Amino acid sequence: MGVTGILRGAALALAATLVASQAGAAAAAPRVVSLDQCADQYVLALAPRDEIVALSKRATNADSYLRAEAAGLPQQRQTLEAVLGSGANLAVYNWTTDLSLPAALSRHGLTVVKVDDAHDFATVRADIRKVAAALGQSAAGEALIARMDAKLAASQGAWRGARALYLTPGGFTAGPGTMVGAMMSAAGLSNAAPGPDYAAVSLESLVLNPPVALVLGFFRDLAGGRSHWTIGGSSYLQALARQRAIASLPGSMLGCPAWFAADGTLALAKARPGA
């Protein structure tokens, strides 16, 4: 074993000792780290602030929904050494570039909770309840679900089946089986996507068969409102969007499948003329 390997092993051993030494305190109060931006949202919404050890490095990015709440909290690269060294006893994640990290954290005694990719609001409810239970915050989880459901109820059927196509600057749409599709359905929109899931839409198809209504996603996140390297930079599409867009939803509302998708649903419902 080289010097680097010896030092890394020593660092991991020390970090594991820190985790073990805090086991008594762990039983009383979770010390939670979030491993990615989507997990950040769940941790920020459900964990008491003094129990949050660290968030991901993207917690305060413009496309983070709860970026304001993340201000002032530690952010770190979520490596095995960093998480163990933080003294956390609970890790929440949705995805990770290091596929071995969740299992490694579990082997070192941490409770690891995965936020599942949600394609509907039922799965969002399950995710909220799972994270809330791990944090000992089930009542807060149910309150969050109640707020989400109230927005969905206020949106129900608003568009009465009117057809609309979801479109991103990169030329992708979202059909049934996606969170965006669930949002549109909850607002009473009929999805004009050519099929389920996410799929590319060509500029030519939009020119030949323009949709009656558009729901735009991520267009607000472009510098100057357009991209010269994608379909979003097309002058035709820009004109079509001005004429037929019923709503433009930001990346912070769309990037993570969570309860705030109901905010997007309510925005769609309120965009109906006369609403």
Side-chain angles (χ1 to χ4, degrees):
M1 179 184 295
V3 174
T4 301
I6 292 172
L7 291 175
R8 185 172 188 270
L12 287 174
L14 176 60
T17 300
L18 288 172
V19 172
S21 69
Q22 295 183 12
R31 288 175 51 79
V32 58
V33 295
S34 163
L35 303 186
D36 58 82
Q37 190 183 44
C38 188
D40 289 339
Q41 313 311 310
Y42 282 83
V43 168
L44 286 165
L46 296 168
R49 194 172 179 86
D50 60 0
E51 293 178 6
I52 301 175
V53 175
L55 302 169
S56 81
K57 296 290 282 185
R58 294 189 58 185
T60 52
N61 282 16
D63 59 349
S64 173
Y65 191 77
L66 294 180
R67 57 192 176 277
E69 288 81 352
L73 289 170
Q75 298 175 44
Q76 66 182 24
R77 289 183 63 248
Q78 303 297 30
T79 62
L80 180 59
E81 293 89 343
V83 175
L84 294 180
S86 72
N89 56 38
L90 172 64
V92 180
Y93 80 104
N94 174 245
W95 63 274
T96 174
T97 55
D98 181 356
L99 299 181
S100 67
L101 181 58
L105 292 173
S106 183
R107 285 195 301 272
H108 280 88
L110 276 75
T111 298
V112 179
V113 178
K114 186 179 189 307
V115 176
D116 292 320
D117 285 325
H119 305 299
D120 53 48
F121 288 100
T123 306
V124 172
R125 293 184 192 96
D127 280 336
I128 292 171
R129 289 185 171 121
K130 185 181 356 179
V131 176
L135 289 165
Q137 299 291 329
S138 291
E142 293 306 314
L144 186 58
I145 290 170
R147 292 195 294 273
M148 178 184 79
D149 286 344
K151 292 172 184 176
L152 292 176
S155 308
Q156 187 66 39
W159 281 91
R160 302 173 187 171
R163 288 178 64 78
L165 180 74
Y166 172 77
L167 192 66
T168 70
F172 278 82
T173 189
T178 66
M179 198 67 227
V180 171
M183 293 163 64
M184 293 174 67
S185 178
L189 286 166
S190 176
N191 200 324
D197 300 322
Y198 295 96
V201 177
S202 69
L203 182 59
E204 291 78 7
S205 68
L206 292 172
V207 172
L208 294 172
N209 186 26
V212 174
L214 283 171
V215 174
L216 304 179
F218 298 97
F219 275 74
R220 290 195 211 171
D221 303 275
L222 296 175
R226 63 192 300 166
S227 166
H228 295 287
W229 299 105
T230 66
I231 191 173
S234 159
S235 58
Y236 170 79
L237 183 57
Q238 293 287 323
L240 186 67
R242 287 193 295 270
Q243 295 166 7
R244 304 191 181 186
I246 59 175
S248 183
L249 305 178
S252 59
M253 194 177 284
L254 299 168
C256 174
W259 65 93
F260 41 81
D263 292 10
T265 299
L266 188 58
L268 291 176
K270 288 182 175 180
R272 182 180 65 82

